[in-house]
Amino acid sequence: MGEVWTWIISFLILITLVGLIVYQLMCLADLEFDYINPYDSASRINSVVLPESILQGSLCLFFLVTGHWFMALHGLPYLYYNFQLYLKKQHLIDVTEIFSLLDWEKKKRLFKLAYLILTLFLTLFWLIYSTLDDYEE
Amino acid sequence: MGTENQNYPNFPARPPPPSTSSSSPFASAPPPGVPPQSSGPQTVGFRPLSSQPTRPFTPSGPPMAPPVGAMRPMVSQIPGSRPPPPAYGGGPPGGVGGSFQRFPTPPPFPGSQNPPPSGPPPPTQTLAGHLSPPMSLRPQQPMGPPGGYVSPPGSGFQQSVPPVNPSYSGVGSGPPQPSFPGYPSNQGFQSASQGPVSSYPPQTGGFSQHPGQQNLHPGYAPPTTSSIQGLAEDFNSLSLSNIPGSLEPGLDPSSFPRPLDGDVEPKSFAEMYPMNCDSRYLRLTTSAIPNSQSLASRWHLPLGAVVCPLAEAPEGEEVPLVDFGSTGIIRCRRCRTYINPYVTFTDSGRKWRCNICAMLNDVPGEYFSHLDATGRRMDMDQRPELTKGSVEIIAPTEYMVRPPMPPTYFFLIDVSFSATKSGMLEVAAQTIKSCLDNLPGYPRTQIGFITYDSTIHFYNLKSSLSQPQMMVVSDLDDIYIPLPDDLLVNLSESRNVVEAFLDSLPLMFQDNGNVESAFGPALKAAYMIMNQLGGKLLILQNSLPSLGAGRLKLRGDDPRVYGTDKEYVLRVAEDNFYKQMAADCTKFQIGINVYAFSDKYTDIASLGTLAKYTGGQVYYYPGFQSSIQGDKLRHELARDLTRETAWESVMRIRCGKGIRCSSYHGNFMLRSTDLLALPAVDCDKAYAMQLALEETLLTTPTVYFQVALLYTASCGERRIRVHTAIAPVVTDLGEMYRQADTGSIVSVYARLAIEKTLSAKLDDARNAIQQKIVKALREYRNLHSVQHRLGSRLIYPESLKFLPLYGLAMCKSTPLHGGPADASLDERCGAGFTMMALPVKKLLKLLYPSLHRVDEWLLKPSVDHDDLKDVLRRLPLAAESLDSRGLYIYDDGFRLVLWFGRMLSPDIAKNLLGADFAAELSRVTLEEQENGMSKKLMRLIKKVRENDPSYHPMCFLVRQGEQPREGFLLLRNLIEDQMGGSTGYVDWMLQIHRQVQQNA
């Protein structure tokens, strides 16, 4: 039964992560269509950048602790990328250059989104798998 | 060279606009409007044809050309020779031929276009131009590729292949040429190109003036059959190749194009569309917009524009002010375009069609006017907005988010030890005081001051006080404002207090020994005081910020970083504090100008960020000493304070359907994708942008651009300055090249390259420039290689003849040149920030400064006209231009260098410098002496400074051979020379040529 709970928790964390990324993408899209100004857009996005990285880091850790090393490994590149950006101090959006970087920032987040959705499917698979397992027992 | 050059303008390379495509060789006939050559040396010479006698007969000749062509060739043989007539007289069809002699002139030679002097030339005649190889032949040294052909009988030429081509070793080797400029008359020539070489023994001249081509690469020896060139060609060419067997390039640098006339704007375009705004406001990189994305992608140069919305207009051409009153401003309902001369009225005047989006709008009742028979409005003449490309519209309250702000000047002044010691504080205080009467916007002008060292000093300037009150805040971590108001006061009310403050300021800190600088906290304090109003913040910073937020490290001192991949990091702001502050300031309409004075590293890269994102400027005075640079600071600070300034402005560029601005370059911050926020703009700022096609195909015959700057004038009126321009859409790449504007292209490139240095190595930025030029020329070559035998010539359109040289100049400009050791980091960054804001003309002047010889002029008694342009010729920027018996003046718009030749007559030096003429010149300042010569020179210098008041060029004196100053002040800036690892003009052209030919 513990297995199932592990997958349920990681599923919830992933949903939150997807939500954060989508939120950032929305801010960028709003900016592009001139619904909000760059100051608001940048501060909104920047306010969730760190939570996103931390949450993703803890998800990896969670997988590791619960012994799902494959899933932990799967999350490593993402974690490493975030960590690199943080070290270079490029994790936050630069409000002065936001328009010239707009395309890149969007692309970056779309990739993250795709990656998270892939992870989400894997998690779903494991969730169903372990549920069936439990059921059979 | 300078002289000849002037004559050239008459030969535009490009055909008048309507005439077209490059495909027909004949199109290049001289434009109708072009007068035949003007007098002067040129008249004598006509362009010689290239040395291929045989050409006309070659099969490949163009169908139409035959008659002319036939004669051409003959002529061409004589390149360069002035005397040839006899020999050729009998020449073939040469009636005409006789008239063509080679042009003595230099570079800019649009080959094909030179019409023969007599009468309007038939189109075909134009051809000869390029083809002629330029050659400078030294006497007796004929050269040419072996494959040569036989010279025509009777010509008396001998052909031979010179073993080595000594020819161009510089002026010195030339026979009796006095000085570089003088040489037009002797032309020697050597024709190397096209294989055959005819040598002309008698001729002696050291230089070949001919811009023709030379060809000298062994590899490229052109086939003799290249006769096709007899055709008119639409382009200019230069042949660059080596003579077989010789190592020394047999090139004639004097024939290379040089912008000795300064910036020449393309004229044809303005004539075609007289209702366009003037080119000082908007310059497109090409006045022919490509109709498809594929065409645009083949145009490797940037597609863009440089906008200088508030450029100073000469008297009589001021932008008219329009007030729509209660009607409201008339704009398109859909795309918000302002009404302009290109809208059309229909439905008997009740509707108007927007020229940008084609929307049909109603004409408001008050604005209605009947149309005449041709569809023109009857009241057209009374309405400047319908006749002028530039108008200024008074904006009603809908265009304000708050009442128009008063002009506000806030000073943030460093008063630490070095500021007082260098005299900066005193000069600044005096200058500000002297400008109080001239600050724009009386009586609404606001003013305030903060000074700082390790603490922050606020000044209560309340009008009821007799003396300012100083308040010191030493808590740097938690800045607060000691008084809610009275720190920023109305100047006219508090005038006495402000004056008292400025008088006492230098004295107050006279003995200040504090060397710390709490710059960051002081900036925050200034921001807190100003953010209610906005305005201009002038920062006078003398040392590296060392305390509180925004403290900076001496990172520029670390030699290990130089030359590595991480080097660019030194050129961007170190601390995010600066970007954040800049962004916040822009938000509250605060524009920042940074004045930096330190002789040590101050991290201009970080400080300049403040100016960059707030639409400001960086002034850098390395090692400021009031005795030396005091005047410069005085003028530039005064200019900054008193020039007409537009406050709290935003600028938007609207483009016709299918085209949009894809990126912007300059000092500003983007507020939305296409809206530039400019807290304070003035006439010295220009912005560049690149355009992109949104649709794969443009179907309209023309495209419109409208620049709108919404701002608050100093008088308190909200205004909109609107510049409208139209450009034709073309389907032909050749036309795009013909309509290109080098100045604008260079301006865009320079900005791109400087931006690139912020994320890459200097080398990469330089290579990028070279690659872009190569790509453009290669494409151009491909365009013509089908119809013309190009051989080994480097071809380029007339409109871009200076592009390679400016490219070289960019690579040698302060922000980009050399390696880390060649310029201090601060100088590089300071120059970079400056260049990002410069208008086109000013930038071109900085890239290719003017050099004049003045000693002869000074000795001449005439006093009446001392206009620099009329009297003095510009010389090429090469060491050969300098004669040790002369006195030269070098002017790049930022500084003047007076170069005293070693053998200059002592009288002149004595007259100009007075008693200390023999002293070391670094300690001498130029002052007016009591004699005519000195007065004349000072008048000249004054004139130069008045011509362009945006910066105050400081005058440096240097004597020949005085190292290292000579190298630093002048020699390094002789951009055509090869200096310590950098490329010279000749090598640069060879490199470009070689690369163009690869994969051509």
Side-chain angles (χ1 to χ4, degrees):
Chain A
M1 198 58 199
E3 264 312 77
V4 178
W5 279 109
T6 308
W7 294 116
I8 289 179
I9 291 173
S10 48
F11 181 76
L12 290 179
I13 295 181
L14 274 168
I15 291 289
T16 321
L17 276 175
V18 170
L20 290 178
I21 297 284
V22 169
Y23 175 73
Q24 296 180 24
L25 278 170
M26 274 168 46
C27 287
L28 288 173
D30 281 355
L31 179 69
E32 196 172 1
F33 294 104
D34 212 4
Y35 294 136
I36 54 176
N37 68 47
Y39 303 97
D40 293 344
S41 180
S43 68
R44 283 181 202 177
I45 294 173
N46 289 343
S47 64
V48 298
V49 165
L50 270 189
E52 175 219 315
S53 306
I54 293 171
L55 202 60
Q56 204 271 336
S58 33
L59 181 67
C60 277
L61 194 70
F62 179 70
F63 279 137
L64 204 66
V65 169
T66 52
H68 301 286
W69 59 268
F70 174 76
M71 291 302 287
L73 215 59
H74 183 74
L76 267 188
Y78 191 126
L79 185 66
Y80 176 75
Y81 181 72
N82 279 345
F83 189 63
Q84 277 298 310
L85 283 188
Y86 183 78
L87 283 188
K88 284 191 267 177
K89 295 186 183 167
Q90 287 171 359
H91 58 295
L92 293 181
I93 288 220
D94 176 2
V95 64
T96 50
E97 292 292 345
I98 190 166
F99 286 103
S100 49
L101 298 174
L102 197 61
D103 283 341
W104 165 241
E105 295 288 347
K106 268 167 63 180
K107 203 179 283 173
K108 198 163 93 180
R109 286 174 174 76
L110 282 174
F111 268 104
K112 282 185 175 182
L113 190 63
Y115 196 82
L116 285 176
I117 287 177
L118 178 68
T119 322
L120 195 67
F121 276 118
L122 281 176
T123 315
L124 262 181
F125 167 77
W126 285 113
L127 176 62
I128 294 166
Y129 183 85
S130 55
T131 319
L132 290 178
D133 239 23
D134 276 2
Y135 184 73
E136 279 167 14
E137 285 166 16
Chain B
M1 274 244 144
T3 46
E4 293 101 15
N5 222 352
Q6 289 149 348
N7 305 326
Y8 275 83
N10 296 333
F11 305 97
R14 62 168 100 115
S19 80
T20 137
S21 65
S22 49
S23 57
S24 92
F26 301 104
S28 58
V34 179
Q37 307 181 336
S38 55
S39 58
Q42 282 96 345
T43 45
V44 190
F46 283 110
R47 162 60 49 97
L49 276 193
S50 53
S51 53
Q52 310 141 323
T54 53
R55 288 185 186 167
F57 306 107
T58 57
S60 53
M64 318 210 7
V68 184
M71 36 202 283
R72 265 329 150 92
M74 305 313 292
V75 182
S76 58
Q77 287 239 301
I78 319 180
S81 52
R82 348 175 175 114
Y88 284 82
V96 184
S99 59
F100 291 82
Q101 297 186 350
R102 111 166 337 213
F103 251 158
T105 80
F109 168 115
S112 48
Q113 326 287 29
N114 304 325
S118 58
T124 49
Q125 300 188 340
T126 56
L127 1 144
H130 314 48
L131 320 180
S132 58
M135 1 282 181
S136 56
L137 287 188
R138 252 71 212 288
Q140 317 285 0
Q141 305 172 346
M143 48 186 48
Y149 61 24
V150 181
S151 57
S155 63
F157 291 95
Q158 350 168 324
Q159 308 176 338
S160 61
V161 179
V164 174
N165 185 0
S167 64
Y168 172 59
S169 25
V171 183
S173 61
Q177 292 210 304
S179 71
F180 203 40
Y183 62 91
S185 51
N186 335 344
Q187 320 177 341
F189 84 76
Q190 57 194 35
S191 72
S193 73
Q194 325 304 358
V197 175
S198 54
S199 65
Y200 193 66
Q203 197 97 336
T204 60
F207 283 83
S208 63
Q209 313 254 355
H210 228 293
Q213 20 190 32
Q214 309 179 323
N215 95 38
L216 336 192
H217 270 305
Y220 298 136
T224 34
T225 56
S226 58
S227 52
I228 311 199
Q229 297 169 347
L231 304 187
E233 286 171 347
D234 217 3
F235 45 80
N236 288 4
S237 68
L238 208 53
S239 79
L240 305 159
S241 15
N242 281 320
I243 300 168
S246 82
L247 291 176
E248 200 171 336
L251 302 181
D252 174 15
S254 60
S255 69
F256 288 8
R258 292 183 177 88
L260 299 182
D261 288 336
D263 174 32
V264 181
E265 295 161 28
K267 280 276 181 304
S268 63
F269 186 59
E271 284 156 13
M272 227 167 121
Y273 298 106
M275 289 191 297
N276 269 3
C277 63
D278 194 277
S279 63
R280 63 178 158 266
Y281 303 116
L282 173 70
R283 279 175 82 164
L284 294 167
T285 54
T286 173
S287 307
I289 305 297
N291 77 328
S292 66
Q293 283 176 349
S294 61
L295 186 57
S297 63
R298 287 173 62 203
W299 159 259
H300 292 281
L301 296 165
L303 183 61
V306 179
V307 174
C308 183
L310 291 175
E312 276 176 310
E315 249 170 74
E317 294 182 37
E318 288 89 358
V319 177
L321 193 61
V322 178
D323 188 357
F324 285 105
S326 57
T327 319
I329 296 180
I330 300 171
R331 302 174 70 176
C332 173
R333 262 185 300 144
R334 182 162 66 195
C335 66
R336 311 301 291 152
T337 298
Y338 295 87
I339 193 159
N340 63 65
Y342 296 106
V343 304
T344 46
F345 288 87
T346 56
D347 200 7
S348 43
R350 282 190 294 270
K351 305 242 182 193
W352 62 275
R353 188 178 292 283
C354 170
N355 53 326
I356 290 197
C357 69
M359 167 97 181
L360 210 51
N361 295 273
D362 292 331
V363 174
E366 298 92 328
Y367 197 71
F368 176 79
S369 160
H370 289 286
L371 304 184
D372 66 10
T374 59
R376 268 185 60 161
R377 277 174 67 111
M378 304 282 213
D379 64 350
M380 188 84 120
D381 303 332
Q382 284 97 57
R383 300 219 175 256
E385 72 274 15
L386 296 178
T387 51
K388 293 262 172 34
S390 301
V391 287
E392 199 152 278
I393 302 173
I394 295 180
T397 47
E398 299 94 83
Y399 292 82
M400 304 171 193
V401 286
R402 58 173 185 174
M405 59 176 274
T408 305
Y409 292 90
F410 200 90
F411 298 87
L412 194 55
I413 305 174
D414 183 354
V415 291
S416 61
F417 174 70
S418 54
T420 43
K421 202 187 88 191
S422 66
M424 178 279 278
L425 196 56
E426 196 179 352
V427 175
Q430 282 168 359
T431 311
I432 298 169
K433 189 178 169 206
S434 68
C435 291
L436 289 180
D437 281 327
N438 299 323
L439 291 182
Y442 174 86
R444 300 161 68 239
T445 316
Q446 305 271 317
I447 196 167
F449 299 88
I450 285 182
T451 59
Y452 60 96
D453 42 32
S454 62
T455 54
I456 302 171
H457 322 128
F458 295 86
Y459 297 90
N460 181 351
L461 301 171
K462 200 176 160 91
S463 56
S464 53
L465 298 172
S466 60
Q467 280 291 315
Q469 277 175 356
M470 174 167 158
M471 285 152 286
V472 178
V473 171
S474 52
D475 179 3
L476 302 180
D477 295 328
D478 185 18
I479 292 295
Y480 63 95
I481 303 298
L483 273 183
D485 33 40
D486 295 327
L487 296 175
L488 184 58
V489 296
N490 183 298
L491 176 61
S492 53
E493 288 166 11
S494 300
R495 177 69 187 256
N496 293 332
V497 197
V498 171
E499 283 190 358
F501 166 73
L502 289 170
D503 284 336
S504 57
L505 180 62
L507 301 175
M508 271 192 287
F509 297 99
Q510 212 170 13
D511 304 316
N512 193 354
N514 200 323
V515 294
E516 299 288 348
S517 165
F519 173 74
L523 178 62
K524 265 190 172 160
Y527 165 75
M528 288 158 81
I529 295 173
M530 291 181 78
N531 67 14
Q532 298 299 316
L533 271 183
K536 201 169 198 168
L537 174 61
L538 293 96
I539 296 172
L540 288 81
Q541 171 70 14
N542 228 306
S543 52
L544 193 68
S546 59
L547 294 176
R551 91 177 66 86
L552 297 169
K553 293 191 289 267
L554 269 176
R555 56 180 179 150
D557 273 1
D558 185 356
R560 281 167 303 172
V561 188
Y562 287 128
T564 67
D565 287 346
K566 291 278 174 216
E567 182 193 305
Y568 71 86
V569 175
L570 294 178
R571 292 188 283 267
V572 297
E574 179 189 8
D575 192 330
N576 210 34
F577 170 81
Y578 290 93
K579 276 193 166 177
Q580 198 53 50
M581 277 312 289
D584 290 343
C585 286
T586 310
K587 192 174 176 183
F588 291 100
Q589 308 294 354
I590 301 169
I592 300 178
N593 282 357
V594 177
Y595 291 75
F597 302 96
S598 178
D599 50 346
K600 302 197 197 70
Y601 179 69
T602 16
D603 206 346
I604 301 289
S606 296
L607 296 179
T609 310
L610 292 171
K612 176 172 180 182
Y613 293 109
T614 60
Q617 239 172 306
V618 175
Y619 296 87
Y620 181 44
Y621 307 84
F624 183 83
Q625 286 300 326
S626 61
S627 54
I628 302 169
Q629 288 142 302
D631 267 342
K632 187 171 168 68
L633 173 61
R634 220 166 272 138
H635 279 88
E636 290 174 1
L637 182 58
R639 164 96 176 165
D640 190 10
L641 293 176
T642 55
R643 65 188 162 192
E644 188 50 53
T645 303
W647 308 90
E648 48 177 355
S649 38
V650 289
M651 182 167 82
R652 173 172 270 138
I653 290 102
R654 291 186 173 81
C655 307
K657 209 162 164 276
I659 198 163
R660 69 184 167 89
C661 295
S662 56
S663 65
Y664 301 85
H665 311 275
N667 293 355
F668 56 80
M669 191 171 140
L670 280 176
R671 176 148 319 153
S672 74
T673 36
D674 61 345
L675 189 66
L676 275 59
L678 303 165
V681 208
D682 49 63
C683 55
D684 299 327
K685 312 267 163 58
Y687 308 91
M689 60 221 50
Q690 288 188 281
L691 303 170
L693 296 182
E694 274 182 321
E695 291 166 16
T696 39
L697 209 60
L698 293 183
T699 47
T700 49
T702 51
V703 166
Y704 299 89
F705 298 93
Q706 189 170 70
V707 179
L709 177 81
L710 171 63
Y711 70 97
T712 300
S714 295
C715 61
E717 244 171 11
R718 195 81 172 136
R719 293 183 183 172
I720 305 164
R721 182 171 281 217
V722 180
H723 301 296
T724 313
I726 181 176
V729 171
V730 299
T731 52
D732 167 32
L733 191 58
E735 185 64 21
M736 289 181 70
Y737 277 105
R738 262 191 298 282
Q739 301 287 355
D741 177 353
T742 306
S744 180
I745 291 171
V746 168
S747 208
V748 176
Y749 269 169
R751 287 162 196 245
L752 290 174
I754 292 169
E755 280 177 7
K756 184 147 194 168
T757 62
L758 303 183
S759 60
K761 286 195 284 188
L762 294 176
D763 239 358
D764 297 342
R766 287 192 295 259
N767 284 341
I769 293 178
Q770 193 177 5
Q771 283 316 310
K772 284 175 189 158
I773 293 174
V774 165
K775 272 190 191 155
L777 293 181
R778 186 185 295 156
E779 190 67 44
Y780 189 72
R781 185 183 176 84
N782 292 344
L783 197 65
H784 289 88
S785 59
V786 182
Q787 300 125 22
H788 304 277
R789 279 289 163 93
L790 300 175
S792 62
R793 291 174 303 152
L794 174 63
I795 66 163
Y796 47 85
E798 163 78 10
S799 58
L800 296 180
K801 62 187 173 191
F802 302 135
L803 184 65
L805 179 57
Y806 278 126
L808 175 65
M810 269 188 263
C811 292
K812 293 192 173 189
S813 61
T814 319
L816 294 174
H817 80 112
D822 290 315
S824 79
L825 193 55
D826 277 347
E827 254 174 79
R828 232 182 250 285
C829 295
F833 285 119
T834 302
M835 282 171 68
M836 287 297 280
L838 284 186
V840 177
K841 281 193 188 297
K842 190 92 181 124
L843 178 71
L844 294 186
K845 176 89 179 282
L846 175 64
L847 289 178
Y848 197 89
S850 59
L851 181 69
H852 301 277
R853 179 167 183 170
V854 289
D855 55 313
E856 287 156 2
W857 172 75
L858 285 175
L859 289 171
K860 255 187 269 168
S862 70
V863 186
D864 297 344
H865 50 116
D866 27 59
D867 190 15
L868 203 61
K869 260 204 164 143
D870 295 345
V871 185
L872 301 172
R873 310 181 284 245
R874 281 181 71 168
L875 303 173
L877 281 175
E880 281 107 55
S881 303
L882 298 172
D883 179 348
S884 61
R885 284 163 298 182
L887 172 69
Y888 292 81
I889 188 163
Y890 162 94
D891 169 24
D892 67 5
F894 290 80
R895 62 180 167 192
L896 293 169
V897 179
L898 266 184
W899 186 86
F900 291 79
R902 198 179 280 126
M903 328 239 305
L904 177 68
S905 123
D907 287 349
I908 298 185
K910 197 167 181 179
N911 279 340
L912 296 181
L913 302 175
D916 41 1
F917 71 97
E920 198 186 326
L921 289 183
S922 57
R923 303 216 191 96
V924 179
T925 49
L926 193 64
E927 272 157 18
E928 188 163 311
Q929 308 289 332
E930 279 307 310
N931 60 62
M933 202 182 282
S934 171
K935 289 199 166 122
K936 204 167 166 185
L937 183 71
M938 295 310 282
R939 221 169 29 236
L940 177 79
I941 291 177
K942 192 162 161 241
K943 201 149 203 161
V944 168
R945 288 175 174 163
E946 281 169 0
N947 277 347
D948 178 16
S950 56
Y951 289 89
H952 181 78
M954 243 172 77
C955 200
F956 294 91
L957 309 175
V958 68
R959 194 168 276 137
Q960 184 177 13
E962 186 181 345
Q963 295 299 352
R965 292 178 73 238
E966 188 194 20
F968 170 72
L969 290 172
L970 186 65
L971 298 187
R972 196 185 83 186
N973 300 315
L974 296 176
I975 54 166
E976 291 185 17
D977 285 345
Q978 199 164 343
M979 284 286 293
S982 65
T983 326
Y985 193 13
V986 175
D987 288 338
W988 172 261
M989 291 300 266
L990 281 174
Q991 276 175 22
I992 288 191
H993 181 52
R994 211 169 294 133
Q995 294 182 36
V996 166
Q997 294 226 323
Q998 283 165 7
N999 323 319

